[in-house]
Amino acid sequence: MGMSALRLLLIPGLLCALHVSLCKAACAEVDSDTEAVAGQGFKLGCISCKMRGEVEGSASVEWYFRARGESNFVHIYTYEDRTPTILDERFEDRVDWNGSKNTNDIQDASIYLLNVTFNDSGAYRCFFNRILTYTYYEFRTTASKIVHLTVVAKATRGTASIVSEVMMYVSIIGLQLWLLVEMIYCYRKIAAAGDEALRESAAEYLAIASESKDNCAGVQVAE
Ligand SMILES: *[C@@H]1O[C@H](CO)[C@@H](O)[C@H](O)[C@H]1NC(C)=O
Ligand SMILES: *[C@@H]1O[C@H](CO)[C@@H](O)[C@H](O)[C@H]1NC(C)=O
Ligand SMILES: *[C@@H]1O[C@H](CO)[C@@H](O)[C@H](O)[C@H]1NC(C)=O
């Protein structure tokens, strides 16, 4: 009896402890952006969460690139034992590691492209080689993702956004002018109607006043 009561108390505690450790290892597989601006830097995102967050793991990462119009992926980059290696001259001195830092347990394999050119358009594939270390054995898994990158000129996007901004202001100002005109028109109408009403009510007031004067006179007479 006492034992099962104790167990009932322990179970929620254990669940909480487990939950905390799960939260600490939280990893979310956010998709990469897919539009880069020529001349600027761009983060190619690639996240592969461990299936079991609490298990020790280590991973190496490879990146492949297929330029627009080409048919094959080319191995361009490797990250292993915290050491990056650029394998393709097109990306020489242009790639920085943006993934998990100070660990071999890589879950974020993002890389950063410097000075993006139009030639960088195409498909990028990141590839995880992961080893999960259990007490008595190791488990190897692989995961890969593809990012389709489009490089746009700064001017295109800038013009588009400027045009849409101008359109927004024009429509806002237009709406306000229309409202103002409408308000003046209504105000005039109301004012005119009000004048009439005022005249009417003044006439009524005078009528009532004269009537009550008569009444008063009548009352006075009756007294
Ligand atoms: C990614 O790398 C670039 C270039 O080294 C750096 O400027 C940027 O802050 C890094 N971003 C992250 C999230 O690590
Ligand atoms: C990127 O471009 C800027 C300006 O053109 C240049 O100064 C810089 O050296 C370039 N960086 C790389 C890594 O090519
Ligand atoms: C882009 O590729 C073309 C053809 O391979 C090459 O001539 C050109 O120099 C490249 N441009 C840049 C900025 O790397």
Side-chain angles (χ1 to χ4, degrees), residues 39 93-94 114-115:
D93 296 329
R94 287 180 52 223
L114 294 143
N115 288 6

Side-chain angles (χ1 to χ4, degrees), residues 82-194:
R82 306 181 200 190
T83 311
T85 313
I86 296 169
L87 303 163
D88 190 296
E89 61 180 12
R90 286 173 294 181
F91 294 94
E92 200 80 56
D93 296 329
R94 287 180 52 223
V95 183
D96 274 344
W97 179 250
N98 253 183
S100 306
K101 291 184 173 70
N102 304 319
T103 177
N104 283 329
D105 191 358
I106 300 161
Q107 299 194 80
D108 183 349
S110 305
I111 54 175
Y112 192 83
L113 292 184
L114 294 143
N115 288 6
V116 169
T117 75
F118 288 104
N119 290 0
D120 295 336
S121 291
Y124 292 80
R125 183 162 171 254
C126 65
F127 190 84
F128 281 85
N129 255 309
R130 178 172 286 141
I131 301 173
L132 294 176
T133 311
Y134 291 87
T135 315
Y136 299 113
Y137 63 99
E138 285 181 351
F139 186 69
R140 284 169 184 271
T141 65
T142 58
S144 90
K145 300 207 165 176
I146 289 189
V147 181
H148 293 279
L149 183 67
T150 308
V151 178
V152 299
K154 198 178 180 178
T156 321
R157 193 189 245 176
T159 309
S161 77
I162 285 168
V163 164
S164 70
E165 203 169 313
V166 166
M167 291 294 283
M168 191 184 76
Y169 284 126
V170 164
S171 63
I172 285 175
I173 289 169
L175 263 172
Q176 282 187 337
L177 280 177
W178 179 73
L179 256 173
L180 199 68
V181 166
E182 198 77 344
M183 268 172 66
I184 289 170
Y185 174 74
C186 282
Y187 178 78
R188 286 224 172 123
K189 232 175 136 177
I190 288 167

Side-chain angles (χ1 to χ4, degrees), residues 29-77:
E29 301 199 355
V30 182
D31 284 338
S32 177
D33 283 343
T34 57
E35 193 175 273
V37 178
Q40 297 187 358
F42 180 76
K43 179 177 170 176
L44 272 167
C46 174
I47 298 174
S48 163
C49 298
K50 278 191 303 193
M51 284 179 295
R52 302 279 306 272
E54 73 275 22
V55 176
E56 281 278 312
S58 72
S60 64
V61 169
E62 286 156 23
W63 276 92
Y64 297 83
F65 172 55
R66 186 186 64 204
R68 176 159 292 162
E70 285 178 14
S71 52
N72 292 318
F73 276 95
V74 179
H75 192 178
I76 57 165
Y77 183 86

Side-chain angles (χ1 to χ4, degrees), residues 196-221:
E196 231 162 71
L198 202 67
R199 253 179 263 127
E200 261 169 38
S201 68
E204 248 167 59
Y205 172 78
L206 287 176
I208 289 164
S210 61
E211 222 172 83
S212 61
K213 221 163 86 189
D214 290 350
N215 283 353
C216 279
V219 169
Q220 264 170 1
V221 167

